[in-house]
Amino acid sequence: MLKIYTDTDTDFYPALAAEYGYKLISMPYSIDAKTVYPYVDFDSFDAHAFYDILRGGVLPTTSAISREQYLQYFEEDFKAGNEILYVHFSRAMTNTFDAMDQAVTQLKAQYPAARFEEIDTKGITTISYAIVREVGDLVKAGKTLDEILEWAKAEVDHFAMYFFADDLKFFRRSGRVSGLAATMGTLIGVRPLIHMSKEGKMVSVGTAKGRQKAIQYLVDKVGELGDEIEKHRICIGHTDAPEIARTIAGLIEERYGKQDIVYVDVNPTAGSHCGPNGVGVCFHAKSR
């Protein structure tokens, strides 16, 4: 039997996970030395309250989960001899998967009848959300594990995401964006433009003077790189910036026609690195 997993860094939450049959792995963040596990330590994510805390000057940190925690998540399905598929955020952004690999190696030795596969979305938050939902659609359609893996080989690099941040202090502290000038934060009104690379990393691709130009850049990218966008969800992720997200959606539909647009609250673990008032667009593309 096929059992599917994802993690909270893909912006999935319990109700959506249940809709597709995903088991949800919680990725933690810490505030004032207190570690919080999303949907374990709270039932629902209050995005506005969380990002208001960040607006108040709090800079959360994030951490990996342990081998023992991965063992707890996976052992039941290994023991049952199931096929296991974990669709997760980018390996290139964390060392947590070193612990996962150790756990999986141990479980494979104990329960050789089980099969474990993974799909690296080569992203985090909204781009991962889009891919995890597409995989969920395939599972609902009755596709086999091998068919899903073949789809992922062909399609993961055809999901692009571009976004901008409103306050660079979060990214500067985390060091998660390559090519981001440390001095950029001193330039008033300048917003860094960032995308998810084929290597699964956040990469700075330029700047925009002012929010409106940053918004226009995202809308332009949908037209420049978009491929059959009407056949896939366009996912607009934001860190408590719903009005900006709706503005972008309106501009996309004004220019490219009616679309299946989904708004996504960026999860608190990833949001700890982005900060409030950031917005990104994920769409099906010719290439990343």
Side-chain angles (χ1 to χ4, degrees):
M1 183 178 293
L2 176 60
K3 297 293 184 177
I4 53 176
Y5 288 75
T6 191
D7 53 69
T8 55
D9 273 354
T10 69
D11 290 340
F12 260 55
Y13 49 90
L16 185 59
E19 178 183 330
Y20 287 102
Y22 280 105
K23 296 184 179 182
L24 193 58
I25 295 175
S26 182
M27 294 295 173
Y29 62 94
S30 298
I31 293 179
D32 296 330
K34 179 183 178 182
T35 300
V36 180
Y37 286 86
Y39 309 112
V40 175
D41 295 325
F42 57 76
D43 294 327
S44 61
F45 174 43
D46 186 336
H48 179 65
F50 174 79
Y51 288 110
D52 257 1
I53 292 172
L54 273 58
R55 290 184 182 100
V58 172
L59 294 174
T61 59
T62 59
S63 57
I65 64 175
S66 68
R67 178 179 64 88
E68 288 72 23
Q69 287 170 298
Y70 282 112
L71 288 172
Q72 292 173 7
Y73 278 115
F74 293 137
E75 185 164 18
E76 179 181 354
D77 284 318
F78 268 92
K79 190 173 183 179
N82 289 323
E83 292 183 322
I84 302 159
L85 175 62
Y86 179 17
V87 191
H88 56 70
F89 75 105
S90 176
R91 274 185 173 267
M93 298 184 68
T94 179
N95 62 6
T96 193
F97 296 114
D98 294 339
M100 186 192 79
D101 291 343
Q102 295 169 16
V104 169
T105 297
Q106 177 180 329
L107 290 168
K108 283 180 175 179
Q110 289 179 260
Y111 309 107
R115 178 185 178 188
F116 180 89
E117 301 287 352
E118 59 186 288
I119 293 173
D120 185 344
T121 62
K122 299 183 185 179
I124 195 168
T125 182
T126 310
I127 187 171
S128 298
Y129 172 97
I131 294 170
V132 173
R133 284 198 69 172
E134 294 250 352
V135 170
D137 291 336
L138 295 173
V139 173
K140 280 187 169 184
K143 300 298 184 183
T144 67
L145 176 54
D146 287 324
E147 288 172 328
I148 294 168
L149 293 172
E150 284 302 309
W151 175 91
K153 287 179 185 177
E155 287 292 324
V156 164
D157 285 339
H158 286 283
F159 286 85
M161 182 172 178
Y162 286 79
F163 59 101
F164 65 83
D166 210 52
D167 188 337
L168 276 179
K169 69 183 178 184
F170 297 93
F171 275 131
R172 286 209 310 274
R173 176 174 176 174
S174 73
R176 295 295 177 95
V177 182
S178 62
L180 188 64
T183 59
M184 195 183 296
T186 64
L187 303 177
I188 296 174
V190 170
R191 276 140 178 103
L193 303 167
I194 301 163
H195 89 126
M196 292 302 314
S197 72
K198 289 181 179 179
E199 293 73 35
K201 297 180 180 181
M202 291 187 289
V203 178
S204 175
V205 291
T207 60
K209 182 67 172 177
R211 182 178 288 167
Q212 287 307 120
K213 288 187 177 179
I215 289 171
Q216 197 60 55
Y217 179 87
L218 300 188
V219 175
D220 290 345
K221 277 295 176 183
V222 175
E224 178 186 334
L225 290 177
D227 177 57
E228 296 186 323
I229 59 172
E230 70 284 352
K231 295 182 180 179
H232 302 266
R233 299 175 186 90
I234 293 179
C235 299
I236 303 178
H238 63 93
T239 53
D240 193 34
E243 291 184 6
I244 303 172
R246 286 193 291 269
T247 295
I248 292 172
L251 291 171
I252 288 172
E253 293 199 320
E254 182 181 301
R255 186 179 300 185
Y256 310 117
K258 184 68 176 175
Q259 305 293 330
D260 181 6
I261 294 178
V262 178
Y263 298 100
V264 183
D265 285 320
V266 172
N267 70 83
T269 309
S272 296
H273 299 287
C274 304
N277 303 325
V279 183
V281 177
C282 172
F283 54 95
H284 192 261
K286 302 178 185 75
S287 64
R288 288 200 182 189

